[in-house]
Amino acid sequence: MKYDRTTSRKLILSLAFLGLAVSIPSWHIPSVKWIWLTVFVFSVCNAFITYHVVINKHTISYTIKLFGLKIYNKKIIHTDVIKITFKRIGWNAKLAVIKVRKGLSIRVGEFKPNDVYKDLIVFCEENEIPYKKTKDYKIIENMG
């Protein structure tokens, strides 16, 4: 199953343009000008990042795209997964941290549709991978 996550573009772009507009009167100072332009460029790039997770029977594929171009791609085989920890982030959001043998852990949070966590648990059970649900995660899970 394929899951997607995008950033809230309207909010990020609004704040980037607002910050740029507010900083223009102080552009006579060169360092201020370059700092604000750098912040603006990073904000625009951040607004167009998308994340994709594909969970198959024995593999998990994790992809990050910027403006539709693939900038990071990782395919995880079930034998490379050490464990998956399910946590709570924020007031009512879930997060899964996939710890792998080599490389950085993968954070799976706020993906649509919300069935990603159920599929990760099925992935763990089918491939005999240990997983842990924190107490806070269980509270959110019981809320529905």
Side-chain angles (χ1 to χ4, degrees), residues 6-102:
T6 58
T7 56
S8 77
R9 290 187 179 132
K10 290 180 184 177
L11 176 66
I12 293 172
L13 290 175
S14 299
L15 291 174
F17 281 107
L18 179 65
L20 187 65
V22 168
S23 71
I24 288 176
S26 62
W27 276 21
H28 62 279
I29 305 168
S31 61
V32 171
K33 176 180 176 180
W34 292 112
I35 289 172
W36 273 105
L37 284 175
T38 304
V39 168
F40 178 76
V41 168
F42 278 113
S43 297
V44 170
C45 288
N46 187 28
F48 291 97
I49 288 180
T50 57
Y51 304 88
H52 305 282
V53 171
V54 178
I55 302 172
N56 295 320
K57 188 170 179 94
H58 297 293
T59 61
I60 298 174
S61 297
Y62 183 76
T63 307
I64 301 174
K65 293 183 178 182
L66 175 64
F67 299 113
L69 301 171
K70 204 179 286 187
I71 60 173
Y72 182 78
N73 189 25
K74 186 168 190 172
K75 188 171 185 178
I76 305 168
I77 302 170
H78 71 283
T79 56
D80 292 338
V81 178
I82 297 172
K83 71 174 180 176
I84 298 179
T85 306
F86 296 91
K87 300 178 181 183
R88 170 182 160 178
I89 54 172
W91 285 99
N92 195 20
K94 298 175 184 177
L95 171 75
V97 179
I98 304 170
K99 185 163 175 68
V100 293
R101 295 195 194 287
K102 289 185 178 180

Side-chain angles (χ1 to χ4, degrees), residues 128-139:
E128 298 177 0
I129 297 169
Y131 66 92
K132 176 187 173 192
K133 295 180 183 179
T134 62
K135 188 167 92 171
D136 289 338
Y137 180 87
K138 290 177 185 177
I139 291 171

Side-chain angles (χ1 to χ4, degrees), residues 40 119 125:
F40 178 76
D119 280 354
E125 290 172 351

